[in-house]
Amino acid sequence: MAEEEKVIEELTTEEALTDPLYVPEPVEGATEHVRSFPAAPQFQEKLGYPGERPENWQEVALAKMDELRGKFRSFRLFLDICVKCGACTDKCHYYMGTADPKNMPVARQDLLRSVYRRYFTLPGKWFPDLVGARELTEDVLDEWYTYYFQCSECRRCSVFCPYGIDTAEITMAAREILDSVGYGMKYTNEIIGKVFDIGNNLGLPKPALASTLEDLEEEIEDDTGVKVRLPLDEPADVLLVTPSADFFAEPHIDGLIGYAKVFHALGEKWTLSSYASEAANFAMFIGSYENMRRIALRIRKAAIDLGVKRIIIGECGHAWRAAYQFLNTLAGPFDFLDPKYPVPQHICEYTWEAIQAGKLRFNKEENDFYKVTFHDSCNVSRASRMGNYPGGQFDIPRNIIKAVCNHYYDMPEGTIKEATLCCGGGGGLLTDDLMEIRKKGGSPRMKALKQASEEYGVNKMAAICAICKTQFSKIMPYYGYGMDDIMSVHQLVSNAIVLPGSEQEAELDGTDENEATEAAE
Amino acid sequence: MITTLYALLYYAATIIFVVGIAYRVWGYWKTPQPANIVTTPAPVTRTGVVWRMFKEVAFFESLWKSNKWIWIFAMMFHLSLWLIIVRHLRYFIDPVWTVVVLAQPFGKYAGFFFVLGGLGLLFRRFVVARVRYISAPSDYLMILMFIGIGLSGLLMTFVNKTDIVAVKAFFRGLMTFNWQPLPADLPVLVHLGLVAVFLIVFPFSKLLHAPGVFFSPTRNMVDNPREKYRPVPWLPPVSEVTFDPPHGSKQS
Amino acid sequence: MAYEVNGKTVEHDEEGYITNLSDWSKELAEVIAKEENIDMTDEHWEVVNFLREYYDEYQIAPAIRVLVKAMKKKFGPEKGNNKYLYELFPYGPAKQACKIAGLPKPTGCV
């Protein structure tokens, strides 16, 4: 196939294979075949959407578009003000990785904007061809479904747009419109339903969660000789809400162990909640405030029921956005919590504060096998903050890593911090049926990592996002890395932390266990 | 005849321009922005946001980060446009303000840079495959309109000198409803015709980026969602919600 | 979308996970495994059986770590490790083994 050859040609030159920011020439239709499974009716209905496409679906879709135009200034404005300057066209990792022009941010927006123009603006009604307006047909709907699920809502384009147009806002609106005509995505919508039923994305019931946590307590005791607890549904000062992948997946689970050790070392009274056993909020991905709120309210209820003073969120990118930018708005005000602390806080803010106060002891040599780099997760970088100054979200995780590792190196400029490249699996794309787009979308990041490996010998990448971690553990093997070369930041903390009374402490201080325990007391 | 035509055209164009923009801006104003979706890192104070916005509209900070070529052409185009607009104020006010007098020599030559910037942007639209892909016919026409305005203006200024006093009299006449004849030179008619088109098209087109940028929530919001509670206007307050039933009550 | 086992059809979803968990049988597991290009050995069965037992108790598949631990207890560290499990089930012990074991696919960021 000619198209396929063109894609291969564009993406396999020496430069294309090594330059993380390489921009291919557009090849039309390059990824039009990549589509995820649509949601079955039972998954749709649980979220308040029709299970089947209604007879008058065009009317419904256009009415939804009009409704969203009245509810969200972002959507209304962004549809109007794009001047097609082209500044964003080379900024999307999916475009860089696939060469499909519909993956250029402005072109992705135009899939919807063209319909908006046709039905809601005079020029589009009078001169559709002149202004690139088009009817809402079945093909258009399919095209929306295809390409709005090739966007990870990472906001890289919004950094570079002179008007701050954020394609994520358009993508969310498009997905909400698709859902309103019964055309939802299986992966995201099935998962949201599970949160409503069971409390987390995994569908992990309380007994299973309790048993997993017990297992982890055992594991920590085996490793350190210290009884570190992972409390569940206990009255406490701190409620930790973390992505459920932290209870289940590799390398996430080592991050959870890291949080537990930090809490233990500080003597914190903390707890997990089985009711709010999920920090992720996939309803954000589909732009549904109603569903997003329903998930956010679980955190509110858990905080009230457990009588906590503060809420801390575990390592997860979009969850941190959902918490930082949306939790207060959707489930606030949180005036029943201790006003001394921001609501919510990130686990990295918590750990870094303790490190700064000198309350944690580390043996950095434990991480000496590793030459570490840090992958800035998109939602953390461009849709949130840590600490009290702009950019704290870049410094704090790096500071933590540097406090526990001797060898830290950044990936190249232009691929980190506010310009960070998405892992390729965010925004609800972390599903096997989208593996092709995940691999291709992840390629710019992988090339940046390779540069860091070649220059500094970097052999591990740390991240603070459940999606990033899973995505990388799947795609890194395609790029010559091991699936365990992606780590949690708190896994590095966990490796290096010296708990009072632990075997590690005894070894370091050259005393036997009993003496160390006495010293700690 | 031509005087009447242009007089009516300008009344109509002015009304469409002013009312149209007011209507669109009112739309942006009244539409809620429920959550704080500022693109971070973002300022944490109102003053900081003013500074960010200033850098954005005066220096195109984001565009600078993004693409130097577009930045150069866009900067050339917009800076010249401002100088030209200031200079043109002299045809509407009497006596002419000092600042307008000072701008006069710069404004005159800014026309060349205006056209050059426009040509640069047009060139990119043709030559860069990615930009060509996203361009509709209206995108080309829009730039051609500006280039046409610039070229006809330069022609009147430097080549086929127009009776500018008469043009001023025409516009002053329009403002005081005491019409004066418009010199019927071709460059004048083209220039004024295209400017009228510009005024009419403005509220219906991407030209709305000019007032619109100030409403952009990813740029104009203070990064304070944890400190400032912003309820979603169409959702009931938390005191009225029902929570999902306790965990484990339903298993799929 | 269905598997054929002993002249019986068993419905499955787009990704090959059976829709009605009670349709599972050892014969079906062999059929699914074949489609996944896996020859079922004793070790494979050990994993599948453990998953099913765990699922019976907890209504979910175990975390990989729990699975590894169980395998370690049974077969020692040589087979009780992540790498070995991936050798058994190249497409991930959780997802692929669940499919063969007739359990729902673990969802979320996993």
Side-chain angles (χ1 to χ4, degrees), chain A residues 437-485:
Chain A
I437 199 84
R438 285 169 56 187
K439 262 189 256 172
K440 289 178 171 170
S443 66
R445 168 50 78 221
M446 287 293 99
K447 288 184 270 181
L449 175 62
K450 247 180 200 160
Q451 284 195 352
S453 292
E454 277 158 23
E455 200 160 332
Y456 308 111
V458 164
N459 55 14
K460 293 283 167 189
M461 181 160 67
I464 48 171
C465 170
I467 288 177
C468 295
K469 292 173 203 170
T470 297
Q471 159 76 352
F472 285 131
S473 70
K474 293 284 187 306
I475 68 162
M476 281 171 102
Y478 295 105
Y479 295 91
Y481 292 91
M483 55 182 294
D484 53 355
D485 288 337

Side-chain angles (χ1 to χ4, degrees), chain A residues 7-85:
Chain A
V7 178
I8 293 169
E9 201 179 311
E10 277 305 325
L11 298 174
T12 51
T13 59
E14 170 73 25
E15 207 193 343
L17 290 174
T18 52
D19 178 4
L21 297 177
Y22 176 77
V23 181
E25 289 290 298
V27 181
E28 281 195 50
T31 54
E32 68 186 359
H33 61 281
V34 185
R35 304 178 81 236
S36 58
F37 299 124
Q42 75 265 24
F43 299 134
Q44 286 292 96
E45 282 154 9
K46 212 171 259 179
L47 275 57
Y49 299 123
E52 305 283 345
R53 193 173 308 174
E55 197 70 29
N56 61 338
W57 65 270
Q58 268 135 322
E59 262 169 63
V60 175
L62 292 171
K64 181 52 95 173
M65 191 186 285
D66 201 25
E67 179 195 325
L68 297 178
R69 231 159 54 93
K71 279 180 167 176
F72 299 96
R73 182 185 295 158
S74 53
F75 185 57
R76 184 185 203 100
L77 187 80
F78 294 162
L79 287 176
D80 278 345
I81 65 171
C82 173
V83 302
K84 317 286 170 84
C85 70

Side-chain angles (χ1 to χ4, degrees), chain A residues 23 25-26 28 69-74 76-78 80-85 87 89-91 95 101-102 104 106 116-117 122-123 129-131 155 158-164 169 196-198 205-206 274-275 289-290 293-294 297-298 300-301 320-321 324-326 328-333 342-345 349 381-385 387 390-391 393-394 418, chain B residues 23-24 27-44 56 60 62-63 65-67 70 78 124-125 128-131 133-139 141 204-213 215-220 223-232 234-238 241-252:
Chain A
V23 181
E25 289 290 298
E28 281 195 50
R69 231 159 54 93
K71 279 180 167 176
F72 299 96
R73 182 185 295 158
S74 53
R76 184 185 203 100
L77 187 80
F78 294 162
D80 278 345
I81 65 171
C82 173
V83 302
K84 317 286 170 84
C85 70
T89 53
D90 54 353
K91 300 298 186 281
Y95 176 70
K102 286 181 183 139
M104 301 189 298
V106 47
Y116 159 75
R117 302 222 74 177
L122 276 188
D129 293 335
L130 186 72
V131 296
R155 312 186 98 203
S158 93
V159 168
F160 292 103
C161 172
Y163 317 112
E169 292 292 307
F196 294 159
D197 286 346
I198 305 172
K206 183 173 178 177
S274 60
Y275 180 72
Y289 269 46
E290 285 72 19
R293 177 179 224 201
R294 218 174 132 184
L297 283 172
R298 299 181 81 92
R300 181 184 181 88
K301 182 164 158 52
W320 180 234
R321 179 183 190 187
Y324 181 88
Q325 289 194 328
F326 290 94
N328 198 7
T329 284
L330 292 171
V343 184
Q345 276 185 299
E349 293 180 307
S381 304
R382 294 184 280 258
S384 80
R385 195 179 74 223
Q393 69 269 38
F394 309 132
E418 73 168 353
Chain B
Y23 178 74
R24 300 306 283 256
Y28 304 142
W29 187 275
K30 68 157 207 263
T31 307
Q33 179 53 50
N36 189 326
I37 60 161
V38 69
T39 305
T40 59
V44 292
E56 205 59 91
F60 305 166
S62 297
L63 192 56
K65 287 184 207 167
S66 180
N67 187 310
I70 307 180
H78 286 88
R124 272 188 61 82
R125 221 173 258 297
V128 180
R130 297 190 316 274
V131 188
Y133 180 87
I134 57 165
S135 300
S138 58
D139 296 311
L141 288 177
F204 301 101
S205 68
K206 63 180 188 180
L207 295 175
L208 284 167
H209 71 277
V213 62
F215 292 87
S216 182
T218 59
R219 292 290 182 272
N220 75 2
D223 182 16
N224 61 1
R226 290 195 284 191
E227 293 76 24
K228 193 175 171 225
Y229 170 59
R230 314 166 53 91
V232 181
W234 64 86
L235 292 179
V238 280
V241 298
T242 41
F243 293 96
D244 278 345
H247 46 261
S249 63
K250 248 169 101 189
Q251 283 167 12
S252 65

Side-chain angles (χ1 to χ4, degrees), chain A residues 211-212 215 248, chain C residues 24 26 40-75 85 88-89 93-94 97-98 100-103:
Chain A
S211 147
T212 306
D215 259 24
F248 194 85
Chain C
W24 190 82
K26 297 221 160 191
M40 293 295 284
T41 62
D42 284 351
E43 284 83 359
H44 288 98
W45 275 112
E46 198 60 46
V47 172
V48 166
N49 290 337
F50 179 77
L51 291 184
R52 288 188 60 85
E53 277 163 33
Y54 192 94
Y55 189 88
D56 255 356
E57 187 170 354
Y58 292 115
Q59 284 78 53
I60 186 147
I64 295 187
R65 190 159 299 212
V66 175
L67 178 60
V68 168
K69 225 167 139 187
M71 291 290 284
K72 210 186 220 163
K73 263 187 198 152
K74 193 113 190 172
F75 296 107
L85 279 172
L88 289 181
F89 299 100
C98 275
I100 296 169
L103 307 179

